[in-house]
Amino acid sequence: MSAEPRSNFLRTQIQDDLDSGRASGVITRFPPEPNGFLHIGHAKSITVNFGLAEQFGGQCHLRFDDTNPERESQEFIDSIQEDVSWLGYEWHGEVRFASSYFQQFYEWALNLIDQGLAYVCDLSPDEARVYRGTLTEPGRDSPFRSRSVPENRDLFMRMRKGEFADGSRVLRAKIDMASPNMNLRDPILYRIRHADHHQTGSEWPIYPTYDFAHGQEDAIEGITHSICTLEFEDHRPLYEWFIDNLPVPHRPRQIEFARLNTSYTVTSKRKLKQLVDEGIVDGWDDPRMPTISGLRRRGYPATAIRHFCEEVGTSRSDGTVDVAMLESAVRDDLNRHAPRAMCVMAPLRLVLTNLSQPLSLQVPNHPADASFGCRELVMDSELLIDADDFREEANKHFKRLVIGKRVRLRGGLVIEAESCDIDASGTVICVYARCVTTAPGEDPEDGVKPKGVIHWVSANHAVPATVRRYDRLFAVPDPAKAENFSEVLNANSLTTNTSAMIEPGLIAAEPETVFQFEREGYFVADRHEHCSERPVFNMTIGLRDTWSDASG
Ligand code: ATP
Ligand code: MG
């Protein structure tokens, strides 16, 4: 669908595996934990995994890594599926769940016990931490490490029956307490948690750790390439230890790549949850959130997000991408795909003194693409223009309406301002102008050209709308570093305008349609609230990058 994908080290390695016969096909997976909404970083992982499967004619699974029931929920499962679909991807077969392999994991844990490779440990978490050692000091063996196989079997089976209290014991792998890799210092395989699970209910009082489950899930599903982010590089020896010591049906190959981070953004689920819980934003899909559902509600096209993820490339070195790149991908996409329309943000009455009868105008919906067609707009003698587009007097740099000067009304006539009414507080409340042409597109006969073009709506036909102007949520490039959100929030990230007036055709806009409001920016009909009784538009992005303008 998009341009030829760039080459990157993942593609090269997979191609090598196919060429050498190490793999006979490509099966990838996107494995989210259902403990939050997906964000722009996940979009990168989705495009990588689904993209690779697509490029090599393979399959990509959607699998929930649901080993942590207390933090997970059906709401998150639903939103994740919706987001992946919206981004334009189709997973192979049914949605999968790590929890559907719990019985298999349990049997494999018993298998490790039988081989003398796992033991039940009764150290408290605090004690275990001391025994574990540090990055510079080796750990010490747990006093429970020498338990016999029958004793371990008995205790683990009783853990599974629910006989013991939460946290009272764990099952650990018996690897090497002196390993320089902390992940190999007898990691925990199972914890006791008497918690209900969204998929398995009350069946399991014990849950496998992510580390024990993850690689085995991939093995069960025949995943050829387990693509993950760099923080799992140190876990790879552990995953390989499991695969080497268990009768798994398949051996996946793990390849790590760098996480996508964008400036002015937080992408930790914990921090995103905090923004929601503290009411700083209006839910996970608030248009200022970097969640996929937030970007969607903001009007970011799925194609632009995919394009951005491809453009930033895939590497093995961590870094931060300027969020302006994402915004620019959105602007480029919308410039080509968004129909034009007019919305007056701060209405000022404009009376055309010599217009004898209303004009019906055919106005193009896109300046560069005739396939968008035209819409009919009525220009009558009472219009609304933006208060900022008129001044009684101004210097020559002001290319808008000034008394005695001319402008063209977008798609309509050239007018010249004659006078204005001013109220007691000194505010201009009405402008009077005469038309100096009689048909759209014409130039004035006297050769005096208009200074610019302004947008307008008909006072009699326009409809009031709520327009929410959004800006970046954070005022600083690296908000994740701040101790408190309050220090780094952009106080102007949302301004709600309830006095905007839109052209009448916009009330019928389908929710999620994005328009370029001429001279104002791109605006989307709100996915949840827009309706013909009360149109609601969200600002997607301005016409220009004002952040870079301001800093450079
Ligand atoms: P967070 O750190 O935000 O809580 P997570 O990594 O714990 O996210 P998961 O649900 O485990 O969230 O993520 C699913 C997949 O998405 C994982 O394979 C993970 O590596 C990948 N992923 C998460 N964040 C990013 C990112 N910023 N860039 C690229 N891939 C990411
Ligand atoms: Mg994770």
Side-chain angles (χ1 to χ4, degrees):
M1 67 179 279
S2 53
E4 185 62 19
R6 287 197 201 172
S7 159
N8 66 48
F9 77 99
L10 292 175
R11 237 163 269 165
T12 310
Q13 290 199 13
I14 293 177
Q15 189 62 56
D16 280 354
D17 288 347
L18 291 171
D19 292 346
S20 67
R22 199 175 176 281
S24 57
V26 174
I27 305 180
T28 57
R29 82 289 179 265
F30 174 62
E33 296 172 68
N35 59 3
F37 279 55
L38 299 181
H39 53 62
I40 185 71
H42 294 114
K44 175 68 194 171
S45 178
I46 292 169
T47 58
V48 164
N49 281 296
F50 283 89
L52 288 168
E54 221 166 67
Q55 287 139 30
F56 287 99
Q59 305 166 1
C60 183
H61 298 179
L62 173 61
R63 181 183 68 234
F64 289 103
D65 240 315
D66 56 345
T67 55
N68 222 334
E70 286 121 314
R71 291 167 56 203
E72 299 166 2
S73 77
Q74 191 62 42
E75 182 198 7
F76 297 138
I77 292 174
D78 294 342
S79 76
I80 289 170
Q81 293 187 48
E82 188 177 9
D83 289 348
V84 173
S85 301
W86 178 75
L87 279 175
Y89 296 105
E90 236 176 276
W91 49 89
H92 182 80
E94 298 286 303
V95 170
R96 291 152 217 259
F97 292 89
S99 54
S100 61
Y101 312 135
F102 279 174
Q103 180 61 31
Q104 178 69 81
F105 297 156
Y106 176 68
E107 285 164 21
W108 280 338
L110 285 170
N111 181 308
L112 289 176
I113 291 174
D114 291 344
Q115 297 182 65
L117 294 176
Y119 62 97
V120 173
C121 181
D122 303 353
L123 289 177
S124 70
D126 283 340
E127 290 165 338
R129 200 167 307 125
V130 175
Y131 274 84
R132 206 165 168 236
T134 64
L135 283 172
T136 50
E137 275 175 48
R140 279 180 295 138
D141 286 358
S142 157
F144 302 97
R145 202 175 198 256
S146 50
R147 270 181 168 148
S148 68
V149 168
E151 190 185 2
N152 281 319
R153 219 175 206 280
D154 173 64
L155 286 172
F156 185 55
M157 288 170 75
R158 286 166 62 198
M159 277 168 66
R160 193 265 173 268
K161 284 195 196 123
E163 288 186 21
F164 308 120
D166 283 7
S168 57
R169 5 181 86 106
V170 294
L171 182 72
R172 298 174 70 174
K174 194 190 280 188
I175 308 181
D176 180 5
M177 288 306 292
S179 172
N181 183 342
M182 301 286 281
N183 294 301
L184 297 178
R185 293 187 187 172
D186 292 9
I188 296 176
L189 307 183
Y190 268 91
R191 290 193 171 88
I192 302 174
R193 251 128 121 218
H194 293 266
D196 272 1
H197 188 287
H198 47 94
Q199 302 300 312
T200 57
S202 56
E203 198 188 327
W204 293 91
I206 54 173
Y207 289 96
T209 54
Y210 182 88
D211 273 350
F212 181 54
H214 191 76
Q216 275 66 266
E217 295 159 24
D218 284 348
I220 290 171
E221 293 182 10
I223 301 300
T224 58
H225 295 89
S226 305
I227 315 289
C228 63
T229 36
L230 284 175
E231 71 270 24
F232 292 103
E233 191 170 15
D234 290 348
H235 298 234
R236 177 156 28 99
L238 174 60
Y239 298 162
E240 286 173 351
W241 186 89
F242 292 132
I243 298 287
D244 288 340
N245 287 293
L246 287 171
V248 293
H250 171 83
R251 193 182 178 93
R253 172 173 188 181
Q254 173 170 311
I255 315 179
E256 307 87 13
F257 73 100
R259 293 174 85 85
L260 168 65
N261 301 301
T262 52
S263 59
Y264 293 91
T265 313
V266 297
T267 48
S268 125
K269 272 185 244 170
R270 189 178 57 78
K271 294 206 164 170
L272 293 175
K273 184 169 183 312
Q274 197 187 334
L275 288 168
V276 174
D277 291 347
E278 291 180 10
I280 294 169
V281 295
D282 192 16
W284 285 94
D285 76 342
D286 183 296
R288 291 165 294 180
M289 288 283 270
T291 52
I292 296 176
S293 53
L295 300 175
R296 174 178 181 179
R297 197 162 172 205
R298 179 81 177 257
Y300 281 27
T303 46
I305 296 172
R306 289 171 64 150
H307 186 76
F308 165 74
C309 289
E310 180 67 28
E311 274 299 290
V312 296
T314 307
S315 79
R316 278 185 56 84
S317 48
D318 277 317
T320 299
V321 172
D322 190 344
V323 77
M325 255 184 90
L326 171 60
E327 294 166 348
S328 156
V330 169
R331 216 176 265 120
D332 287 351
D333 190 299
L334 293 176
N335 184 37
R336 278 176 287 128
H337 299 126
R340 275 43 172 178
M342 290 193 278
C343 169
V344 173
M345 298 290 174
L348 167 63
R349 272 181 73 210
L350 170 70
V351 175
L352 299 181
T353 51
N354 62 342
L355 188 72
S356 49
Q357 57 182 28
L359 278 179
S360 162
L361 307 171
Q362 290 297 315
V363 181
N365 291 325
H366 197 289
D369 187 341
S371 71
F372 281 77
C374 291
R375 65 196 187 281
E376 185 186 339
L377 290 180
V378 175
M379 176 174 268
D380 45 17
S381 58
E382 292 222 11
L383 305 182
L384 300 171
I385 60 171
D386 200 282
D388 272 349
D389 283 340
F390 172 76
R391 287 193 198 159
E392 282 186 83
E393 301 170 72
N395 66 25
K396 63 180 182 344
H397 300 295
F398 188 75
K399 304 277 186 231
R400 294 168 263 173
L401 193 59
V402 179
I403 290 182
K405 300 281 193 286
R406 296 175 179 183
V407 290
R408 189 185 298 281
L409 296 171
R410 170 67 82 206
L413 308 182
V414 177
I415 60 167
E416 181 175 314
E418 297 172 315
S419 63
C420 64
D421 292 338
I422 296 176
D423 73 6
S425 70
T427 309
V428 177
I429 51 171
C430 184
V431 178
Y432 300 89
R434 69 184 177 90
C435 306
V436 291
T437 57
T438 54
E442 273 180 10
D443 287 329
E445 280 179 0
D446 61 10
V448 181
K449 290 252 168 76
K451 300 186 68 171
V453 180
I454 64 171
H455 60 283
W456 56 277
V457 291
S458 154
N460 297 315
H461 297 94
V463 179
T466 298
V467 175
R468 296 190 285 227
R469 277 182 174 275
Y470 290 105
D471 198 355
R472 293 182 187 168
L473 181 57
F474 294 105
V476 300
D478 48 3
K481 287 209 188 113
E483 304 235 324
N484 266 310
F485 282 140
S486 58
E487 299 159 16
V488 290
L489 286 168
N490 172 8
N492 301 315
S493 64
L494 168 60
T495 351
T496 304
N497 177 356
T498 51
S499 38
M501 296 295 284
I502 53 175
E503 54 179 77
L506 288 173
I507 63 172
E510 283 292 322
E512 299 201 68
T513 314
V514 186
F515 295 87
Q516 184 192 102
F517 286 169
E518 302 251 13
R519 302 178 59 236
E520 293 287 356
Y522 296 96
F523 292 81
V524 64
D526 187 73
R527 187 178 169 202
H528 303 309
E529 293 167 36
H530 175 80
C531 62
S532 52
E533 288 75 44
R534 188 65 198 168
V536 180
F537 285 86
N538 302 327
M539 180 170 188
T540 306
I541 192 96
L543 294 173
R544 270 174 306 281
D545 177 4
T546 50
W547 284 79
S548 301
D549 290 355
S551 62

